[in-house]
Amino acid sequence: MATFGNLSDRLAETFKNLRTKGKLSAADVDGTVREIRRALLDADVALEVVKDFTGRVRERALGDEVNKALNPAQQVVQIVNDELVTILGGQQRRLEFAKKPPTIIMLAGLQGAGKTTLAGKLAKWLAKDGHTPVLVAADLQRPNAVTQLEVVAKQAGVAVYAPQPGNGVGDPVKVARDGVKFAQQKLHDVVIIDTAGRLGVDAEMMKQAADIRRATDPDEVLFVIDAMIGQDAVATAKAFQDGVDFTGVVLTKLDGDARGGAALSVASLTGRPIMFASTGEALDDFEPFHPDRMAGRILDLGDILTLIEQAQGAFDEDEARKVAEKFATDTFTLDDFLGQMQQLRNMGSIKKMMSMLPGAGAMKQQLENFDEREIVRTEAIIQSMTKAERTTPKLLNGSRRMRIARGSGSTVTEVNQLVQRFEQAAKMMKTVAKGGMPNVPGMGPIPGAGYGGKAKVQQKKKGSKSGNPAKRAAENAAMAAGEKPAIAASSGGGSGFGLGGAQPGKGKAGGPTEEEMAALQKMMGR
């Protein structure tokens, strides 16, 4: 996550130095805690929070749980992870819905924090869960705020209540109250009220927000805060808590490149949980906030659970089963390949997904250089093929590939590379589908791994093992003719050529046969 990128790098470097030590002394712990303190302060985490955090880490790191651990360095990382989860709120807190609909959710915060866009994101997220939300345009102060909310509602596919044009015209308290009545009449089970903000905290804004709260009696009041505003985050949060009070916090603009650590302080200093996080500009860039998962991302430990949830939401289970069967029966086509890529694109940014993997911090440069438009170009190449070509890639001769390159705005080399990648992927997945381990290009086979089928038994070469060229030739000739070759008696004497003292023609006693003599004469050029 970009906002905490610098903090992640600093902490990862600290733990890297720690892992080289087999046993930790008090000086090692103090040095580590000192580096953590610097990293948190540089990230704009509030001083009060930093003191409490590093104090608890030091106390636990010098305790018995580390001294008796098999790997003290890993134990310290676990302690930092636990304490980071604590300052982020401990456990996830879900929305509390009213027993009698509609559930009323009021958004509050400064102007520019992203309340209006967040209203659309929250509404779309609730609609996916089967709710019927309505957005209420109670921000009548900011220019074009009502129009923006209407556009966002249309994009999210939800209803909007906007009786006033805004731009300083209308009574926001009356609009909010009437919006709740509208929801009751139209059977909307959730009301999301977008309120006005200011560039800074002032008495007029607080009074208006407090009046709307009294008029609507919301079930949830969400304080929307920009993760990039620095140390002002704490002061703003406390001012809203005193003036309006709120039940939860929403962090926005977590995809920015600011230090963002002050946002980590809000939950700890206000005692209110962070409930949601906005991670981009698109309406789907929105997720419930899990303190343990966020701590894992900050410490570069990954967030596999969120990745799995996103995959489950984007991939169709029946379709996945059909594709698996196609892999196993070797009937996977470029059409199926295209469908899988489109489902992958529906999951959102591939860079964000990759950043959720453990150790993604070490791949930061590669992730930055990754071009997500590559998937679009690949789709264009496949869509430029005929149905027959997608089903049977072997039809793709030189002229066809040139036509596809022209149709997709690519080069023949790119078409060739796509076909090659498809064939490699299909081969690997076929091996996996049969229970084997794939031979990864550039890595070779994995030692000790099965390959899905029975290994071919290498048959021993049939033939004479004699060191005598003449005898070996004779025995091989006898085997080819279907006869049993003569075997020298173990007790029989003989010369260096293996010739015993028996009469010629009587191979039983170990002497050479007529065929052996003929082969010997031939070898000697006679």
Side-chain angles (χ1 to χ4, degrees):
M1 193 159 288
T3 301
F4 303 122
N6 188 50
L7 176 59
S8 297
D9 292 344
R10 293 282 299 274
L11 292 176
E13 189 63 30
T14 301
F15 295 139
K16 181 180 178 182
N17 296 332
L18 197 65
R19 289 190 181 100
T20 60
K21 301 179 183 295
K23 187 176 181 181
L24 299 183
S25 64
D28 293 330
V29 172
D30 287 340
T32 301
V33 170
R34 192 182 309 114
E35 288 301 318
I36 293 173
R37 182 187 297 114
R38 288 174 180 168
L40 293 173
L41 289 174
D42 285 348
D44 264 350
V45 179
L47 180 60
E48 182 182 342
V49 175
V50 173
K51 283 182 177 179
D52 290 343
F53 178 82
T54 52
R56 290 196 301 269
V57 169
R58 185 179 187 281
E59 182 181 349
R60 290 183 58 186
L62 291 174
D64 287 342
E65 62 180 308
V66 172
N67 292 334
K68 295 179 180 178
L70 292 175
N71 192 323
Q74 288 182 357
Q75 196 67 29
V76 172
V77 174
Q78 182 62 48
I79 290 171
V80 173
N81 182 71
D82 293 344
E83 296 301 333
L84 199 53
V85 170
T86 301
I87 69 168
L88 288 171
Q91 294 182 340
Q92 183 203 13
R93 218 271 269 164
R94 298 175 181 272
L95 283 175
E96 292 184 1
F97 293 95
K99 293 181 180 178
K100 182 181 178 182
T103 298
I104 302 170
I105 301 173
M106 173 181 165
L107 304 182
L110 293 179
Q111 185 174 314
K115 291 191 303 298
T116 303
T117 305
L118 182 84
K121 292 182 176 184
L122 179 58
K124 187 174 183 179
W125 181 77
L126 288 167
K128 285 181 181 177
D129 254 2
H131 295 283
T132 54
V134 58
L135 303 182
V136 177
D139 180 0
L140 307 179
Q141 186 68 32
R142 181 169 62 86
N144 295 320
V146 174
T147 305
Q148 183 188 353
L149 190 68
E150 289 173 336
V151 171
V152 167
K154 185 177 180 181
Q155 291 174 343
V158 299
V160 61
Y161 179 74
Q164 298 292 341
N167 298 324
V169 177
D171 181 2
V173 179
K174 184 177 185 302
V175 169
R177 190 187 298 112
D178 292 346
V180 175
K181 293 178 182 177
F182 173 83
Q184 291 170 338
Q185 292 169 0
K186 300 296 182 180
L187 302 180
H188 292 283
D189 67 343
V190 179
V191 180
I192 301 174
I193 304 173
D194 180 28
T195 65
R198 296 288 192 280
L199 293 176
V201 176
D202 64 12
E204 184 182 351
M205 175 185 63
M206 288 300 179
K207 182 179 183 304
Q208 186 183 106
D211 290 344
I212 292 175
R213 176 164 189 166
R214 280 193 295 271
T216 59
D217 189 23
D219 300 282
E220 296 277 12
V221 179
L222 300 183
F223 173 55
V224 183
I225 187 167
D226 183 347
M228 300 169 65
I229 66 173
Q231 287 293 341
D232 281 345
V234 176
T236 305
K238 286 186 174 180
F240 269 90
Q241 188 174 23
D242 296 338
V244 185
D245 200 9
F246 50 85
T247 58
V249 179
V250 181
L251 296 180
T252 62
K253 305 180 185 177
L254 282 180
D255 57 324
D257 56 1
R259 289 176 289 184
L264 302 180
S265 314
V266 173
S268 181
L269 294 177
T270 63
R272 299 291 186 268
I274 302 173
M275 296 177 63
F276 296 99
S278 174
T279 57
E281 295 181 3
L283 292 184
D284 288 321
D285 295 333
F286 176 81
E287 60 190 49
F289 187 86
H290 299 267
D292 54 340
R293 300 184 191 181
M294 182 58 70
R297 291 194 209 181
I298 292 173
L299 295 178
D300 199 23
L301 301 177
D303 184 3
I304 298 298
L305 289 177
T306 299
L307 189 59
I308 291 171
E309 288 172 1
Q310 289 183 2
Q312 288 175 337
F315 283 83
D316 182 77
E317 191 174 342
D318 292 334
E319 186 66 27
R321 192 178 295 109
K322 290 176 184 175
V323 169
E325 290 173 0
K326 288 187 175 185
F327 276 130
T329 56
D330 204 15
T331 56
F332 186 71
T333 67
L334 279 163
D335 262 332
D336 301 317
F337 188 54
L338 177 63
Q340 292 294 297
M341 290 186 64
Q342 289 172 337
Q343 286 191 341
L344 181 64
R345 205 149 60 93
N346 290 339
M347 286 179 64
S349 168
I350 294 180
K351 285 185 182 179
K352 288 181 182 175
M353 288 189 288
M354 293 293 288
S355 68
M356 294 181 193
L357 296 173
M363 303 186 296
K364 184 174 290 186
Q365 191 63 41
Q366 293 92 321
L367 288 175
E368 288 299 321
N369 294 334
F370 177 74
D371 186 3
E372 303 217 18
R373 292 174 297 178
E374 186 66 31
I375 292 183
V376 179
R377 288 192 284 268
T378 301
E379 288 180 1
I381 293 173
I382 298 176
Q383 288 167 345
S384 297
M385 298 178 184
T386 64
K387 187 74 177 175
E389 289 167 346
R390 295 184 206 176
T391 306
T392 314
K394 292 180 180 179
L395 294 175
L396 295 173
N397 56 22
S399 60
R400 288 176 183 260
R401 297 187 186 211
M402 192 175 295
R403 187 206 77 235
I404 293 165
R406 286 198 301 267
S408 59
S410 59
T411 64
V412 176
T413 302
E414 290 173 329
V415 176
N416 293 340
Q417 289 172 347
L418 168 62
V419 174
Q420 187 178 7
R421 288 199 304 268
F422 165 74
E423 290 173 348
Q424 287 177 347
K427 186 176 180 181
M428 288 171 61
M429 294 311 295
K430 181 183 176 183
T431 304
V432 172
K434 291 185 175 182
M437 291 294 292
N439 186 347
V440 182
M443 292 179 63
I446 299 173
Y451 287 85
K454 290 183 178 179
K456 292 182 179 178
V457 179
Q458 189 174 0
Q459 294 186 352
K460 293 182 179 179
K461 265 188 175 181
K462 290 183 178 179
S464 172
K465 295 181 181 179
S466 174
N468 184 333
K471 186 175 181 181
R472 186 167 62 244
E475 288 181 355
N476 287 337
M479 287 179 184
E483 301 174 3
K484 190 174 180 181
I487 302 174
S490 57
S491 59
S495 70
F497 285 96
L499 303 179
Q503 297 294 325
K506 297 182 180 178
K508 299 282 184 185
T513 63
E514 292 179 0
E515 290 86 2
E516 288 175 328
M517 291 300 296
L520 179 60
Q521 290 175 358
K522 184 178 180 181
M523 183 187 73
M524 297 177 68
R526 293 182 181 176

